[in-house]
Amino acid sequence: MRFRAKMIDIGCFNHFTRVVNTISKLTKTCTLRLTTDKLYFILSDKVANGGVSMWCELSQGNFFDEFQLEGVSTEHNEIYMDLAAENLFRALKTAHNAKSLKIKLTNKHCPCITLAVELPSLSRVSRVVTHDIPVGVIPKKLWNDFKEPSVPDFDVSIYLPPLKTMKNVVERMKNLSNFLVLEANLNGEMNLKIETDLVSVTTHFKDLGNPSWGDNGSQDSTQDRDPETMMDVKVDIRKLLQFLAGQQVNPSKVICNIVNKRIVHFILLHEDVSLQYFIPAHA
Amino acid sequence: MRCVVATSNVKVLGKAVHSLSRIGDELYFEPLSSGLALRCVNSSRSAYGCFLFTPLFFQHYDSGAPPGGLEDSGFRCKMGMKSVQTVFKSLSSLDKTVEKCEIDLNPGGNRLVFQLHCKYGITKTHNLSFQESESLQPVFQKDGYANVLRAQPRLLADTVVHFPPSLEEVNVTVSGERVQFRNHLEDEQDASKMMLTEMSLDADEFESFQVREETGITFCLKELRGLLSFAESSGLPLSMYFDQPGRPVVFGLDDPVLEVNFVLATLSDEETTTHRERNRSRPPQADTSHDDFLSDDMDSYMIAMETSAVGGAEAQPCSTGSDQRRERESDTAACSTRSDHRREREPVTAACSSGSKQQRGRESESEEEEEEELPGTPPQKRFRSLFFGSVLSPYSQGANQTLRNQEVLAEASDSDPEEQEEETAKK
């Protein structure tokens, strides 16, 4: 099993760092899956996460100049490992003016992802900073736990309002209630509602736009429905806020799919990085 | 006693106070004939900082000493660090608004008055209470050190930024042409969970790189950061004096008007050796320029993992911590020395003091007094007061006997006359 990659473009560093920063804000530990052409940051929906799951996919070609991977076997040319995204972010953070960044899978006192950052220096010899981030290699028989989630059979699909605005609203609501109802319809309208014994607050968003999914089966079924009907899901407000506050990458559009009373699914697309986040409804 | 500090120097004084505040809670204030000394020491006495402002720094300097320049005024005190910090609270506004700072002892002799004369006729007066105190006199000789590195503070600041702000201890190793900074793992921390960072610098980056002894020392980074921020703003080159582990490391800044010294204790030999054993599986980083696959070999690890899985045990390194430990124990030899090290922890205090005796080789007294209390003593704070003697647990700090047997680097000047004679005889 071997993995070595090299990055030399400053723009790539910064972009990669921002992606890792977002991941580190969404979850403490996640699974990194490496294939010959993609990197995936995966959080599978365990009870420990409160059922939240995440799938982030990047094309390695957009970031790395060199990328060599030898997976567990030739038929399964992939590597899965657990790591603390925060460590990776910390290591990348100080590499913003690096000359080059090399990432390797190594086996020191334990399996590690080693980042070797070459920095400009005052002398002819560059400064080298190495970070050894311990990882847990995941054996092949557990790979089924980390399958790509399928897009759910949603009832409504809508574009979110600007994340910053939405984050500010949800942040204020967090002080009043632990749960928030997110509802939307096919007319580009979305409401965020909280309700307690003392107060209920609703924020209305209009003209958001609904993405068209083309041949998607669920699209047909919704066409019969009245576009004004609201589909809603009640979620833990902190999970929603974690998702909104964690965004370091500014995506052009964020799609929100709601399965009535069951789950909300967010999809962000930004320059060949796609991030999907699922929050289940509160029981 | 009266000092007057003019305009831009007020900010320097404020920065010095803030820098010392990273070390401890009490500021020792001592006007000497050679200048005003501001000192601080931390509670475990393993870090000491001193800013000596020569008379040239001041617009007016009167230490209160009798004329003749031979004696000191004898006035020395300590004040709460927070109170002094309040005087120099906002550094940027100090720069813009303060024209003069006067420091006087009030007529009653019970308050130290800091008066800031600001623009627009505003005067801010702070009356700080103080406590008469002993003089904090560390004993260290910068000439006696084998290794001296000098560099622009920017270099060290750039190095330190790669380590997390929470990092307590850093290990610095020099060899020939390179110096390496590595984060030091505490014994209790699990090496398989901690991120290890290492930075190496070439000798060329330093203004002066004198290494007579290839060695590695470990000290607390937190206390140094205060000095680094001061040094960066001053632009003065920072010198680092050190040699064997166990011997304190001295950081100094030199200027015609100001002399700064920070002395930090370092981990002793025993603790650093076991750590090095633990790290033996980490290959040296000096050859990162070569592309070598030696440390990339995951195959042996995979084999070990598969065989333990086949054996029936659920080898899931990603799930529980206990499984992970089992995995690790089947790995390299380095892991097993770690558990040994843990066992060593209890009697380490006894080992330390005897070890340190060998290192110092000056004590003639018996070891009995220390060994009475050491076995069974819970593991001490990491940086045993290497500074003011060897192992000093909180309850033994008052025990003068222990002090007598060890080399005291900084003594209380109001200790017993007999003890003082012995100390001076030993020096």
Side-chain angles (χ1 to χ4, degrees):
Chain A
M1 244 188 0
R2 277 195 189 132
F3 169 59
R4 311 171 82 216
K6 188 170 168 182
M7 204 189 281
I8 51 181
D9 181 62
I10 294 267
C12 295
F13 282 152
N14 291 336
H15 191 196
F16 190 63
T17 307
R18 278 196 299 269
V19 174
V20 175
N21 192 8
T22 303
I23 305 287
S24 70
K25 290 198 153 64
L26 290 175
T27 171
K28 268 189 92 177
T29 47
C30 71
T31 303
L32 172 62
R33 173 183 168 198
L34 301 168
T35 66
T36 43
D37 35 45
K38 290 198 180 194
L39 282 91
Y40 302 82
F41 291 96
I42 307 167
L43 180 67
S44 62
D45 57 351
K46 298 202 182 72
V47 178
N49 310 326
V52 163
S53 60
M54 172 193 76
W55 180 272
C56 177
E57 207 173 290
L58 315 88
S59 291
Q60 61 89 349
N62 291 332
F63 295 92
F64 296 96
D65 291 281
E66 285 170 30
F67 196 90
Q68 295 163 29
L69 179 78
E70 274 173 40
V72 284
S73 63
T74 35
E75 318 89 66
H76 298 96
N77 198 17
E78 303 183 0
I79 303 179
Y80 284 66
M81 63 188 100
D82 271 336
L83 61 69
E86 220 242 308
N87 282 341
L88 187 57
F89 173 59
R90 264 208 336 246
L92 290 170
K93 202 166 55 161
T94 51
H96 56 91
N97 60 339
K99 281 157 77 170
S100 78
L101 168 69
K102 287 193 199 139
I103 305 186
K104 294 197 293 192
L105 181 61
T106 57
N107 187 16
K108 299 193 173 166
H109 48 281
C110 67
C112 289
I113 284 283
T114 297
L115 274 81
V117 186
E118 200 187 328
L119 295 165
S121 84
L122 303 168
S123 79
R124 51 181 171 79
V125 183
S126 303
R127 292 180 200 170
V128 180
V129 185
T130 46
H131 300 273
D132 294 316
I133 304 170
V135 298
V137 178
I138 301 175
K140 184 154 56 74
K141 61 182 194 281
L142 295 174
W143 288 6
N144 276 330
D145 290 349
F146 304 101
K147 283 225 284 273
E148 178 167 5
S150 46
V151 176
D153 210 6
F154 51 81
D155 298 309
V156 168
S157 180
I158 190 169
Y159 289 112
L160 285 186
L163 288 183
K164 203 155 171 232
T165 313
M166 200 171 157
K167 182 195 87 156
N168 286 338
V169 169
V170 177
E171 216 162 30
R172 300 291 177 277
M173 288 181 164
K174 184 181 74 124
N175 299 328
L176 298 169
S177 166
N178 286 332
F179 300 101
L180 175 146
V181 172
L182 195 128
E183 64 178 22
N185 64 15
L186 289 165
N187 244 359
E189 289 168 349
M190 173 185 276
N191 299 331
L192 301 175
K193 304 198 304 202
I194 54 163
E195 193 166 323
T196 68
D197 292 337
L198 295 174
V199 66
S200 68
V201 183
T202 309
T203 303
H204 305 267
F205 295 94
K206 291 195 311 197
D207 298 327
L208 294 173
N210 300 81
S212 58
W213 285 78
D215 290 334
N216 195 333
S218 51
Q219 172 82 346
D220 297 329
S221 62
T222 55
Q223 271 175 348
D224 305 331
R225 215 192 312 131
D226 174 15
E228 293 285 329
T229 318
M230 284 284 183
M231 293 293 145
D232 64 273
V233 63
K234 183 177 182 183
V235 295
D236 181 335
I237 210 174
R238 281 161 305 179
K239 299 267 177 331
L240 179 61
L241 189 58
Q242 195 173 19
F243 169 72
L244 295 170
Q247 295 313 309
Q248 300 296 310
V249 181
N250 278 323
S252 33
K253 285 279 191 196
V254 183
I255 298 175
C256 169
N257 296 331
I258 301 177
V259 178
N260 199 26
K261 314 261 191 278
R262 300 279 292 283
I263 196 166
V264 60
H265 172 218
F266 297 101
I267 311 178
L268 293 89
L269 281 169
H270 179 70
E271 287 178 24
D272 293 327
V273 177
S274 81
L275 175 69
Q276 295 180 60
Y277 200 72
F278 297 80
I279 307 179
H282 175 70
Chain B
M1 199 282 320
R2 184 166 174 264
C3 328
V4 179
V5 183
T7 43
S8 53
N9 282 351
V10 178
K11 192 173 179 189
V12 177
L13 189 61
K15 283 211 179 112
V17 171
H18 286 295
S19 165
L20 287 174
S21 69
R22 303 291 290 264
I23 295 188
D25 296 324
E26 288 179 326
L27 183 70
Y28 287 74
F29 184 96
E30 188 172 351
L32 301 163
S33 49
S34 51
L36 175 66
L38 294 181
R39 297 193 246 247
C40 189
V41 72
N42 71 351
S43 53
S44 56
R45 312 219 131 191
S46 59
Y48 160 91
C50 171
F51 283 78
L52 179 68
F53 296 95
T54 64
L56 286 172
F57 178 80
F58 300 91
Q59 197 179 62
H60 171 91
Y61 181 74
D62 176 9
S63 69
L70 294 170
E71 283 173 33
D72 281 321
S73 64
F75 171 71
R76 58 185 89 92
C77 69
K78 60 181 178 182
M79 298 175 281
M81 184 62 79
K82 288 217 163 60
S83 330
V84 191
Q85 274 186 289
T86 317
V87 178
F88 300 99
K89 194 160 40 179
S90 161
L91 289 174
S92 52
S93 71
L94 278 181
D95 213 12
K96 291 183 208 137
T97 58
V98 179
E99 288 163 0
K100 198 167 68 163
C101 170
E102 256 182 65
I103 310 176
D104 292 282
L105 197 52
N106 73 340
N110 59 349
R111 289 278 187 277
L112 202 56
V113 183
F114 285 75
Q115 210 168 50
L116 297 172
H117 297 264
C118 311
K119 274 193 208 168
Y120 317 116
I122 300 175
T123 308
K124 297 183 195 171
T125 310
H126 299 258
N127 296 302
L128 302 178
S129 60
F130 58 83
Q131 260 185 299
E132 296 269 350
S133 79
E134 72 275 13
S135 174
L136 217 50
Q137 298 275 12
V139 176
F140 62 91
Q141 293 274 19
K142 289 203 250 193
D143 315 325
Y145 283 93
N147 301 331
V148 182
L149 307 179
R150 199 172 77 233
Q152 282 298 314
R154 180 83 241 161
L155 181 68
L156 283 184
D158 282 347
T159 307
V160 155
V161 78
H162 295 279
F163 295 91
S166 58
L167 179 66
E168 289 278 315
E169 289 141 25
V170 72
N171 174 278
V172 179
T173 312
V174 277
S175 61
E177 295 292 308
R178 293 192 84 81
V179 59
Q180 278 164 353
F181 293 78
R182 213 177 286 149
N183 60 329
H184 177 84
L185 291 181
E186 313 245 337
D187 305 318
E188 307 85 50
Q189 290 169 334
D190 192 355
S192 67
K193 301 238 170 58
M194 296 300 297
M195 177 163 129
L196 299 174
T197 302
E198 183 176 308
M199 171 129 177
S200 76
L201 297 171
D202 191 65
D204 285 346
E205 302 218 48
F206 291 80
E207 284 185 13
S208 150
F209 194 88
Q210 174 200 306
V211 172
R212 285 203 289 254
E213 221 176 280
E214 298 200 344
T215 176
I217 53 164
T218 305
F219 56 88
C220 195
L221 188 58
K222 197 168 59 131
E223 280 135 4
L224 181 63
R225 286 184 199 260
L227 176 62
L228 281 182
S229 57
F230 180 88
E232 258 196 291
S233 60
S234 71
L236 295 169
L238 182 62
S239 304
M240 180 173 167
Y241 304 82
F242 61 102
D243 44 49
Q244 304 139 349
R247 203 155 166 222
V249 54
V250 182
F251 290 89
L253 289 175
D254 265 310
D255 184 72
V257 301
L258 169 63
E259 191 186 318
V260 188
N261 286 307
F262 268 49
V263 187
L264 303 175
T266 62
L267 279 188
S268 76
D269 246 343
E270 282 80 9
E271 287 148 323
T272 34
T273 331
T274 33
H275 176 71
R276 255 189 239 123
E277 278 169 19
R278 216 186 324 143
N279 274 352
R280 208 173 278 148
S281 58
R282 292 178 74 190
Q285 297 295 333
D287 53 359
T288 37
S289 49
H290 308 297
D291 277 339
D292 61 344
F293 271 99
L294 291 174
S295 57
D296 294 358
D297 182 20
M298 289 298 299
D299 295 330
S300 56
Y301 174 79
M302 289 306 290
I303 293 169
M305 215 175 69
E306 299 295 344
T307 47
S308 58
V310 164
E314 280 296 314
Q316 298 179 31
C318 56
S319 50
T320 58
S322 53
D323 286 323
Q324 217 165 9
R325 225 176 289 127
R326 231 187 302 138
E327 282 294 333
R328 280 189 57 244
E329 268 149 30
S330 67
D331 269 344
T332 58
C335 296
S336 54
T337 53
R338 202 178 145 268
S339 46
D340 289 332
H341 180 70
R342 237 186 267 123
R343 261 180 275 126
E344 274 177 50
R345 203 66 185 111
E346 262 58 70
V348 75
T349 47
C352 276
S353 46
S354 44
S356 62
K357 277 184 174 334
Q358 281 149 27
Q359 277 175 35
R360 296 188 199 124
R362 273 207 252 140
E363 278 73 11
S364 47
E365 316 284 312
S366 70
E367 305 174 30
E368 287 150 28
E369 279 131 331
E370 302 152 73
E371 283 178 6
E372 264 169 25
E373 59 171 16
L374 290 172
T377 309
Q380 296 300 328
K381 270 193 220 169
R382 304 306 305 303
F383 292 101
R384 56 200 186 113
S385 282
L386 299 167
F387 204 151
F388 285 21
S390 195
V391 183
L392 279 181
S393 63
Y395 42 88
S396 79
Q397 222 159 14
N400 290 326
Q401 286 175 327
T402 341
L403 281 172
R404 202 193 297 146
N405 297 331
Q406 282 125 33
E407 178 183 23
V408 176
L409 291 173
E411 55 185 85
S413 60
D414 56 2
S415 49
D416 293 343
E418 296 99 24
E419 276 183 70
Q420 254 192 331
E421 267 176 67
E422 285 183 55
E423 311 288 15
T424 42
K426 272 197 249 169
K427 281 190 202 120

